[in-house]
Amino acid sequence: MDDSLSSTIMAVDERLTHATVTWLDPSAALGGGHAGAADSGDGRTPRDGTATDDEDAYLVAAMASAALAAAEARAGFGDGMSLNDRKVTVDGAATEAAEKILGRAPFRIRVAAGEGERDDSPGAHTGQWLGLPDEGSPVIDGVFDYVDGTELAATDQPGALALGGFGSGVRPVPDLQAYAALAPTHALRGLDIMARPEDGVVPLLERIAAAVGKSPDELTVSTHSLASKPMHRTLIDLMRGRVRQVLVPERVTVEPPYLLSLAGLSEPRIDSMIGAIGLSELAFAAGLVDLVAPELGFVFRLASVTGPRAEPGLTSLDALFKFSEDEEVALRAGGWRKDRQYTSEDLVRPGTSRAATLFAVTDNPALGLRGPEPRGGDVAHVEGFLVKPAARIGSIRLSYRR
C-alpha cells in the first residue's frame, strides 16, 4: 500500500475517514492483480514529468467526491421528475463536489476539455481556471467529465464513471465530437479517416489489422452504442461482417473500460476503437492511452453535435459532418479545421499525461468496481483507479462519513 499518498488524500477532504491506495502488479492477468508494486521517489517532486503526490491527491479526492455526490443525488429525485432534470441534478451535484476540491488545489488548473458547455449544463468548461489564482504558479492541464454516462447515473444503471486527468500538453477543444479510430502510432499517418465512414471502414480495418499483425477477422473492435441514436447501425453491420467481434455498449458509450483492457483491467482486450466520440472524451481517452499504451493512438476528424440531433433517424454517420454556424465559429476560434484529419499528437503531446483517475458512480462490472453506497453505519465507500505513466495503476478505496 502507498501510505504516503493515502495520507495526502486524507488531508485534502475532511470527510474522509479512510483511504487505501494499492498498486497493482502490471504483469498480472485480468482478475489476478497483486498488490506490492514498489513506489519510487518521495512523492513530492515530479518523477519523469509525472504528477506529484499533492496533484494526485487533489485529482483523486475531487473525482471521488464527484462520484459520491452524483450517486447521492438520486435521493433527491422527486416523483414525475423528467430524465433531463434528473441528469442536470446529477451533473450539478458532481460538478459542485469536484470543483469545491479542485478550487482549493495549491496549483493552477487550466481546463482543456470538459462537458456541458454547448448545452449550458453543469460541468467543466474549456478555458475554465481552477485552483490557486496566483498567475506565477505552475499550470497543469485538466480534462474532466464529472459524470460520464449521466443517463446511467440518473437511472441507476451500471457503468457510469467520474473521470479526470492531469497533463502538461493538452490542446484545448470545443464541446464538439470526433470520428476516430485507435491504432498503432506508427500507422496513424497512413490511415484515411476523411472518407465517408461507411465507405472507408473496410480499408480502415484492413490497415489496422496489418499494423497489429492480424487479419481483419481476428480483430476485436469497440464502438458506439445504438441506444442513443441509430446512426452507427450501418457502420456496425459493416464491421461485424469483417472482424471477429464488435463490442457495442448496451445503453450509453463510456470508453475507459474498453481502453483499460489494454492494461489488463477488463476483457476482452480490444485491438481498435472506431466510431463517434465527444472531443472531451477523446481528450481523456488520448491521455489514458498515453499512460497505459503509448504505442497506440487515435486518428480523428472533427464532427458535429447539432448535425446528428437534427437527423436522429439516420442509420449512417453522414450527419456527423454537417456543422452549424456556431460550431464553425468554435472550430475557427480554436484553430481546428473540419477538412483535415488529426492524430493523438495534435490533442495530447506524447509523454505529457501525468495522471488519470476514474471512480464508479454506479456499479461497474467490467472494471470490478462498486458504486458508492452505505455499507454499515454512517460510512459510504467509493472505489476507483489512479493511472500513472507506464501503466502503473493504483486501486483506490475511500471511506466517507455521511
Side-chain angles (χ1 to χ4, degrees), residues 262-317:
L262 303 171
L265 288 185
S266 64
E267 61 179 3
R269 187 187 193 280
I270 64 169
D271 297 296
S272 184
M273 175 179 287
I274 299 175
I277 180 173
L279 270 180
S280 62
E281 285 98 337
L282 183 60
F284 183 84
L288 188 60
V289 170
D290 188 44
L291 294 169
V292 302
E295 72 280 4
L296 299 176
F298 289 92
V299 60
F300 66 97
R301 61 184 291 195
L302 280 297
S304 168
V305 172
T306 59
R309 289 180 178 177
E311 301 180 79
L314 282 184
T315 56
S316 74
L317 295 176

Short mmCIF file of all heavy atoms in Angstrom, two decimals, residues 262-317:
data_model
loop_
_atom_site.label_atom_id
_atom_site.label_comp_id
_atom_site.label_asym_id
_atom_site.label_seq_id
_atom_site.Cartn_x
_atom_site.Cartn_y
_atom_site.Cartn_z
N LEU A 262 -6.43 -2.66 -22.36
CA LEU A 262 -5.05 -2.63 -22.83
C LEU A 262 -4.07 -2.83 -21.68
O LEU A 262 -2.92 -3.20 -21.90
CB LEU A 262 -4.76 -1.31 -23.54
CG LEU A 262 -5.69 -0.97 -24.72
CD1 LEU A 262 -5.44 0.45 -25.20
CD2 LEU A 262 -5.48 -1.97 -25.85
N ALA A 263 -4.53 -2.56 -20.44
CA ALA A 263 -3.70 -2.75 -19.25
C ALA A 263 -4.15 -3.97 -18.45
O ALA A 263 -3.70 -4.17 -17.32
CB ALA A 263 -3.76 -1.50 -18.37
N GLY A 264 -5.07 -4.77 -19.00
CA GLY A 264 -5.50 -5.99 -18.34
C GLY A 264 -6.55 -5.80 -17.28
O GLY A 264 -6.82 -6.72 -16.51
N LEU A 265 -7.19 -4.63 -17.21
CA LEU A 265 -8.20 -4.39 -16.18
C LEU A 265 -9.61 -4.78 -16.60
O LEU A 265 -10.52 -4.76 -15.79
CB LEU A 265 -8.18 -2.91 -15.75
CG LEU A 265 -6.99 -2.45 -14.92
CD1 LEU A 265 -7.19 -1.02 -14.47
CD2 LEU A 265 -6.76 -3.34 -13.71
N SER A 266 -9.81 -5.07 -17.86
CA SER A 266 -11.12 -5.53 -18.34
C SER A 266 -10.88 -6.48 -19.50
O SER A 266 -9.75 -6.63 -19.99
CB SER A 266 -11.99 -4.34 -18.77
OG SER A 266 -11.40 -3.66 -19.88
N GLU A 267 -11.93 -7.13 -19.95
CA GLU A 267 -11.80 -8.04 -21.08
C GLU A 267 -13.06 -7.99 -21.93
O GLU A 267 -14.12 -7.57 -21.43
CB GLU A 267 -11.54 -9.48 -20.60
CG GLU A 267 -12.64 -10.05 -19.74
CD GLU A 267 -12.33 -11.48 -19.31
OE1 GLU A 267 -11.24 -12.00 -19.63
OE2 GLU A 267 -13.18 -12.08 -18.64
N PRO A 268 -12.99 -8.36 -23.21
CA PRO A 268 -11.77 -8.78 -23.91
C PRO A 268 -10.88 -7.59 -24.26
O PRO A 268 -11.34 -6.45 -24.24
CB PRO A 268 -12.33 -9.44 -25.18
CG PRO A 268 -13.59 -8.67 -25.46
CD PRO A 268 -14.18 -8.38 -24.09
N ARG A 269 -9.64 -7.88 -24.57
CA ARG A 269 -8.71 -6.82 -24.97
C ARG A 269 -9.07 -6.35 -26.37
O ARG A 269 -9.21 -7.15 -27.28
CB ARG A 269 -7.27 -7.32 -24.96
CG ARG A 269 -6.23 -6.22 -25.20
CD ARG A 269 -4.85 -6.81 -25.35
NE ARG A 269 -3.81 -5.81 -25.28
CZ ARG A 269 -3.45 -5.01 -26.29
NH1 ARG A 269 -4.07 -5.11 -27.47
NH2 ARG A 269 -2.48 -4.13 -26.15
N ILE A 270 -9.22 -5.05 -26.53
CA ILE A 270 -9.57 -4.52 -27.85
C ILE A 270 -8.31 -4.34 -28.70
O ILE A 270 -7.22 -4.14 -28.19
CB ILE A 270 -10.33 -3.18 -27.76
CG1 ILE A 270 -9.47 -2.08 -27.13
CG2 ILE A 270 -11.64 -3.34 -26.99
CD1 ILE A 270 -10.07 -0.68 -27.25
N ASP A 271 -8.51 -4.43 -30.01
CA ASP A 271 -7.46 -4.10 -30.97
C ASP A 271 -7.63 -2.69 -31.49
O ASP A 271 -6.66 -2.04 -31.87
CB ASP A 271 -7.48 -5.08 -32.15
CG ASP A 271 -7.19 -6.51 -31.73
OD1 ASP A 271 -6.06 -6.76 -31.26
OD2 ASP A 271 -8.09 -7.36 -31.84
N SER A 272 -8.89 -2.22 -31.51
CA SER A 272 -9.16 -0.88 -32.02
C SER A 272 -10.48 -0.37 -31.45
O SER A 272 -11.27 -1.14 -30.88
CB SER A 272 -9.23 -0.88 -33.56
OG SER A 272 -9.42 0.43 -34.07
N MET A 273 -10.69 0.91 -31.59
CA MET A 273 -11.94 1.56 -31.24
C MET A 273 -12.29 2.46 -32.43
O MET A 273 -11.47 3.30 -32.83
CB MET A 273 -11.77 2.37 -29.95
CG MET A 273 -12.98 3.20 -29.54
SD MET A 273 -12.66 4.11 -27.99
CE MET A 273 -12.74 2.76 -26.81
N ILE A 274 -13.47 2.30 -32.98
CA ILE A 274 -13.86 3.06 -34.17
C ILE A 274 -15.27 3.60 -33.98
O ILE A 274 -16.18 2.84 -33.65
CB ILE A 274 -13.81 2.20 -35.45
CG1 ILE A 274 -12.39 1.68 -35.70
CG2 ILE A 274 -14.30 2.99 -36.66
CD1 ILE A 274 -12.27 0.72 -36.88
N GLY A 275 -15.45 4.89 -34.20
CA GLY A 275 -16.79 5.47 -34.10
C GLY A 275 -16.76 6.91 -33.65
O GLY A 275 -15.69 7.53 -33.56
N ALA A 276 -17.93 7.44 -33.34
CA ALA A 276 -18.05 8.83 -32.89
C ALA A 276 -17.77 8.91 -31.40
O ALA A 276 -18.12 8.01 -30.63
CB ALA A 276 -19.45 9.36 -33.19
N ILE A 277 -17.14 10.00 -31.00
CA ILE A 277 -16.79 10.22 -29.60
C ILE A 277 -16.72 11.72 -29.36
O ILE A 277 -16.28 12.47 -30.24
CB ILE A 277 -15.43 9.53 -29.27
CG1 ILE A 277 -15.04 9.74 -27.80
CG2 ILE A 277 -14.33 10.01 -30.19
CD1 ILE A 277 -13.80 8.93 -27.39
N GLY A 278 -17.20 12.17 -28.21
CA GLY A 278 -17.09 13.58 -27.88
C GLY A 278 -15.63 13.99 -27.80
O GLY A 278 -14.76 13.21 -27.40
N LEU A 279 -15.34 15.25 -28.17
CA LEU A 279 -13.95 15.69 -28.16
C LEU A 279 -13.37 15.67 -26.75
O LEU A 279 -12.19 15.37 -26.57
CB LEU A 279 -13.84 17.11 -28.74
CG LEU A 279 -13.61 17.20 -30.25
CD1 LEU A 279 -13.52 18.66 -30.67
CD2 LEU A 279 -12.34 16.47 -30.65
N SER A 280 -14.17 16.01 -25.74
CA SER A 280 -13.65 15.96 -24.38
C SER A 280 -13.35 14.52 -23.97
O SER A 280 -12.33 14.23 -23.33
CB SER A 280 -14.63 16.61 -23.40
OG SER A 280 -15.86 15.91 -23.39
N GLU A 281 -14.25 13.58 -24.34
CA GLU A 281 -13.99 12.17 -24.07
C GLU A 281 -12.75 11.68 -24.81
O GLU A 281 -11.98 10.88 -24.30
CB GLU A 281 -15.19 11.31 -24.46
CG GLU A 281 -16.36 11.41 -23.50
CD GLU A 281 -17.42 12.37 -23.98
OE1 GLU A 281 -17.07 13.27 -24.80
OE2 GLU A 281 -18.57 12.25 -23.55
N LEU A 282 -12.56 12.19 -26.05
CA LEU A 282 -11.38 11.80 -26.82
C LEU A 282 -10.11 12.33 -26.17
O LEU A 282 -9.08 11.65 -26.15
CB LEU A 282 -11.50 12.31 -28.26
CG LEU A 282 -10.36 11.91 -29.21
CD1 LEU A 282 -10.25 10.39 -29.32
CD2 LEU A 282 -10.57 12.53 -30.59
N ALA A 283 -10.17 13.55 -25.61
CA ALA A 283 -9.00 14.10 -24.91
C ALA A 283 -8.64 13.22 -23.72
O ALA A 283 -7.47 12.93 -23.48
CB ALA A 283 -9.28 15.53 -24.47
N PHE A 284 -9.66 12.80 -22.95
CA PHE A 284 -9.39 11.91 -21.81
C PHE A 284 -8.86 10.57 -22.32
O PHE A 284 -7.90 10.03 -21.77
CB PHE A 284 -10.64 11.69 -20.97
CG PHE A 284 -10.39 10.85 -19.75
CD1 PHE A 284 -9.92 11.41 -18.59
CD2 PHE A 284 -10.62 9.48 -19.78
CE1 PHE A 284 -9.66 10.63 -17.46
CE2 PHE A 284 -10.36 8.69 -18.67
CZ PHE A 284 -9.88 9.27 -17.50
N ALA A 285 -9.47 10.03 -23.37
CA ALA A 285 -9.05 8.74 -23.92
C ALA A 285 -7.61 8.80 -24.43
O ALA A 285 -6.82 7.88 -24.19
CB ALA A 285 -9.99 8.32 -25.05
N ALA A 286 -7.26 9.90 -25.12
CA ALA A 286 -5.89 10.03 -25.63
C ALA A 286 -4.90 10.11 -24.48
O ALA A 286 -3.80 9.53 -24.55
CB ALA A 286 -5.79 11.26 -26.52
N GLY A 287 -5.25 10.83 -23.40
CA GLY A 287 -4.38 10.89 -22.24
C GLY A 287 -4.24 9.55 -21.56
O GLY A 287 -3.15 9.18 -21.11
N LEU A 288 -5.35 8.80 -21.47
CA LEU A 288 -5.32 7.49 -20.83
C LEU A 288 -4.45 6.52 -21.63
O LEU A 288 -3.64 5.77 -21.06
CB LEU A 288 -6.75 6.96 -20.71
CG LEU A 288 -6.95 5.68 -19.89
CD1 LEU A 288 -6.48 5.86 -18.46
CD2 LEU A 288 -8.41 5.26 -19.92
N VAL A 289 -4.59 6.54 -22.95
CA VAL A 289 -3.76 5.68 -23.80
C VAL A 289 -2.29 6.07 -23.69
O VAL A 289 -1.40 5.21 -23.68
CB VAL A 289 -4.25 5.73 -25.26
CG1 VAL A 289 -3.26 5.05 -26.20
CG2 VAL A 289 -5.62 5.08 -25.39
N ASP A 290 -2.00 7.37 -23.57
CA ASP A 290 -0.63 7.82 -23.38
C ASP A 290 -0.03 7.23 -22.10
O ASP A 290 1.18 6.97 -22.03
CB ASP A 290 -0.60 9.36 -23.32
CG ASP A 290 0.81 9.94 -23.32
OD1 ASP A 290 1.65 9.46 -24.10
OD2 ASP A 290 1.07 10.86 -22.52
N LEU A 291 -0.87 6.99 -21.10
CA LEU A 291 -0.40 6.42 -19.84
C LEU A 291 -0.24 4.90 -19.89
O LEU A 291 0.72 4.36 -19.34
CB LEU A 291 -1.37 6.78 -18.71
CG LEU A 291 -1.47 8.27 -18.33
CD1 LEU A 291 -2.66 8.50 -17.40
CD2 LEU A 291 -0.18 8.74 -17.67
N VAL A 292 -1.20 4.21 -20.51
CA VAL A 292 -1.20 2.74 -20.41
C VAL A 292 -0.69 2.03 -21.66
O VAL A 292 -0.24 0.88 -21.57
CB VAL A 292 -2.61 2.20 -20.08
CG1 VAL A 292 -3.10 2.79 -18.77
CG2 VAL A 292 -3.61 2.45 -21.19
N ALA A 293 -0.76 2.68 -22.83
CA ALA A 293 -0.35 2.02 -24.07
C ALA A 293 0.14 3.06 -25.07
O ALA A 293 -0.49 3.30 -26.11
CB ALA A 293 -1.52 1.22 -24.67
N PRO A 294 1.28 3.72 -24.78
CA PRO A 294 1.74 4.82 -25.63
C PRO A 294 2.11 4.40 -27.04
O PRO A 294 2.31 5.27 -27.90
CB PRO A 294 2.96 5.36 -24.86
CG PRO A 294 3.40 4.23 -23.99
CD PRO A 294 2.16 3.50 -23.61
N GLU A 295 2.17 3.10 -27.29
CA GLU A 295 2.43 2.64 -28.66
C GLU A 295 1.18 2.74 -29.53
O GLU A 295 1.24 2.52 -30.74
CB GLU A 295 2.94 1.20 -28.65
CG GLU A 295 1.91 0.13 -28.30
CD GLU A 295 1.63 -0.02 -26.80
OE1 GLU A 295 2.19 0.77 -26.02
OE2 GLU A 295 0.86 -0.93 -26.43
N LEU A 296 0.05 3.08 -28.91
CA LEU A 296 -1.21 3.26 -29.64
C LEU A 296 -1.63 4.72 -29.59
O LEU A 296 -1.18 5.51 -28.76
CB LEU A 296 -2.32 2.40 -29.02
CG LEU A 296 -2.10 0.89 -29.00
CD1 LEU A 296 -3.24 0.19 -28.26
CD2 LEU A 296 -1.97 0.34 -30.41
N GLY A 297 -2.52 5.09 -30.50
CA GLY A 297 -3.04 6.45 -30.53
C GLY A 297 -4.28 6.51 -31.40
O GLY A 297 -4.69 5.51 -32.00
N PHE A 298 -4.85 7.69 -31.48
CA PHE A 298 -6.06 7.90 -32.27
C PHE A 298 -5.76 8.71 -33.52
O PHE A 298 -4.93 9.63 -33.50
CB PHE A 298 -7.12 8.64 -31.45
CG PHE A 298 -7.73 7.84 -30.35
CD1 PHE A 298 -7.20 7.88 -29.06
CD2 PHE A 298 -8.84 7.04 -30.58
CE1 PHE A 298 -7.76 7.14 -28.04
CE2 PHE A 298 -9.41 6.29 -29.56
CZ PHE A 298 -8.87 6.35 -28.29
N VAL A 299 -6.45 8.39 -34.60
CA VAL A 299 -6.57 9.27 -35.75
C VAL A 299 -8.03 9.71 -35.77
O VAL A 299 -8.94 8.92 -35.50
CB VAL A 299 -6.18 8.56 -37.07
CG1 VAL A 299 -7.05 7.35 -37.35
CG2 VAL A 299 -6.22 9.54 -38.24
N PHE A 300 -8.28 11.02 -36.03
CA PHE A 300 -9.65 11.51 -35.94
C PHE A 300 -9.88 12.72 -36.83
O PHE A 300 -8.93 13.39 -37.25
CB PHE A 300 -10.01 11.85 -34.49
CG PHE A 300 -9.24 13.01 -33.89
CD1 PHE A 300 -9.78 14.29 -33.85
CD2 PHE A 300 -7.98 12.82 -33.33
CE1 PHE A 300 -9.09 15.36 -33.30
CE2 PHE A 300 -7.28 13.87 -32.76
CZ PHE A 300 -7.84 15.14 -32.73
N ARG A 301 -11.14 12.97 -37.09
CA ARG A 301 -11.57 14.19 -37.75
C ARG A 301 -12.68 14.81 -36.91
O ARG A 301 -13.38 14.12 -36.16
CB ARG A 301 -12.08 13.92 -39.17
CG ARG A 301 -13.28 13.00 -39.24
CD ARG A 301 -13.71 12.66 -40.65
NE ARG A 301 -14.27 13.80 -41.36
CZ ARG A 301 -14.98 13.71 -42.48
NH1 ARG A 301 -15.19 12.52 -43.03
NH2 ARG A 301 -15.46 14.78 -43.07
N LEU A 302 -12.81 16.13 -37.00
CA LEU A 302 -13.81 16.82 -36.20
C LEU A 302 -15.21 16.51 -36.69
O LEU A 302 -15.43 16.28 -37.88
CB LEU A 302 -13.57 18.33 -36.23
CG LEU A 302 -12.48 18.89 -35.31
CD1 LEU A 302 -12.84 18.65 -33.87
CD2 LEU A 302 -11.11 18.29 -35.62
N ALA A 303 -16.17 16.51 -35.77
CA ALA A 303 -17.55 16.16 -36.10
C ALA A 303 -18.51 17.04 -35.32
O ALA A 303 -18.16 17.64 -34.30
CB ALA A 303 -17.81 14.68 -35.80
N SER A 304 -19.74 17.09 -35.81
CA SER A 304 -20.77 17.97 -35.27
C SER A 304 -21.58 17.31 -34.16
O SER A 304 -21.72 16.09 -34.10
CB SER A 304 -21.72 18.37 -36.42
OG SER A 304 -22.88 18.99 -35.93
N VAL A 305 -22.12 18.15 -33.28
CA VAL A 305 -23.12 17.72 -32.31
C VAL A 305 -24.52 18.00 -32.84
O VAL A 305 -25.43 17.17 -32.75
CB VAL A 305 -22.93 18.43 -30.96
CG1 VAL A 305 -24.08 18.13 -30.01
CG2 VAL A 305 -21.61 18.01 -30.32
N THR A 306 -24.71 19.16 -33.46
CA THR A 306 -26.04 19.57 -33.91
C THR A 306 -26.52 18.78 -35.13
O THR A 306 -27.71 18.55 -35.28
CB THR A 306 -26.07 21.07 -34.24
OG1 THR A 306 -25.10 21.35 -35.26
CG2 THR A 306 -25.75 21.91 -33.02
N GLY A 307 -25.59 18.36 -36.00
CA GLY A 307 -25.98 17.61 -37.19
C GLY A 307 -26.77 16.36 -36.86
O GLY A 307 -27.90 16.17 -37.34
N PRO A 308 -26.23 15.45 -36.04
CA PRO A 308 -26.99 14.24 -35.67
C PRO A 308 -28.28 14.55 -34.92
O PRO A 308 -29.26 13.82 -35.06
CB PRO A 308 -26.00 13.47 -34.79
CG PRO A 308 -24.65 13.92 -35.24
CD PRO A 308 -24.83 15.38 -35.59
N ARG A 309 -28.29 15.60 -34.12
CA ARG A 309 -29.52 15.95 -33.40
C ARG A 309 -30.62 16.36 -34.36
O ARG A 309 -31.81 16.14 -34.10
CB ARG A 309 -29.24 17.08 -32.41
CG ARG A 309 -28.41 16.64 -31.21
CD ARG A 309 -28.16 17.80 -30.26
NE ARG A 309 -27.39 17.36 -29.09
CZ ARG A 309 -26.97 18.17 -28.13
NH1 ARG A 309 -27.25 19.48 -28.20
NH2 ARG A 309 -26.29 17.70 -27.11
N ALA A 310 -30.24 16.96 -35.48
CA ALA A 310 -31.23 17.40 -36.46
C ALA A 310 -31.78 16.25 -37.28
O ALA A 310 -32.87 16.36 -37.86
CB ALA A 310 -30.62 18.45 -37.39
N GLU A 311 -31.06 15.13 -37.35
CA GLU A 311 -31.50 13.98 -38.14
C GLU A 311 -31.35 12.71 -37.30
O GLU A 311 -30.54 11.82 -37.62
CB GLU A 311 -30.68 13.88 -39.43
CG GLU A 311 -30.78 15.11 -40.32
CD GLU A 311 -29.96 14.98 -41.59
OE1 GLU A 311 -30.43 14.30 -42.52
OE2 GLU A 311 -28.85 15.54 -41.64
N PRO A 312 -32.12 12.56 -36.24
CA PRO A 312 -31.92 11.45 -35.30
C PRO A 312 -32.24 10.07 -35.87
O PRO A 312 -31.83 9.07 -35.29
CB PRO A 312 -32.87 11.80 -34.15
CG PRO A 312 -33.94 12.65 -34.79
CD PRO A 312 -33.22 13.45 -35.83
N GLY A 313 -32.97 10.01 -36.99
CA GLY A 313 -33.36 8.71 -37.52
C GLY A 313 -32.37 8.12 -38.50
O GLY A 313 -32.56 6.98 -38.96
N LEU A 314 -31.30 8.84 -38.84
CA LEU A 314 -30.34 8.33 -39.82
C LEU A 314 -29.66 7.07 -39.31
O LEU A 314 -29.38 6.93 -38.12
CB LEU A 314 -29.27 9.38 -40.12
CG LEU A 314 -29.63 10.54 -41.06
CD1 LEU A 314 -28.39 11.40 -41.30
CD2 LEU A 314 -30.16 10.03 -42.39
N THR A 315 -29.38 6.14 -40.23
CA THR A 315 -28.64 4.93 -39.87
C THR A 315 -27.23 4.97 -40.46
O THR A 315 -26.58 3.94 -40.62
CB THR A 315 -29.37 3.68 -40.35
OG1 THR A 315 -29.59 3.77 -41.77
CG2 THR A 315 -30.70 3.51 -39.64
N SER A 316 -26.77 6.17 -40.80
CA SER A 316 -25.39 6.38 -41.25
C SER A 316 -24.81 7.54 -40.45
O SER A 316 -25.53 8.24 -39.72
CB SER A 316 -25.34 6.71 -42.75
OG SER A 316 -25.80 8.03 -42.98
N LEU A 317 -23.51 7.76 -40.61
CA LEU A 317 -22.84 8.84 -39.87
C LEU A 317 -22.74 10.13 -40.67
O LEU A 317 -22.01 11.04 -40.29
CB LEU A 317 -21.44 8.37 -39.46
CG LEU A 317 -21.39 7.21 -38.47
CD1 LEU A 317 -19.95 6.78 -38.23
CD2 LEU A 317 -22.04 7.59 -37.16
#
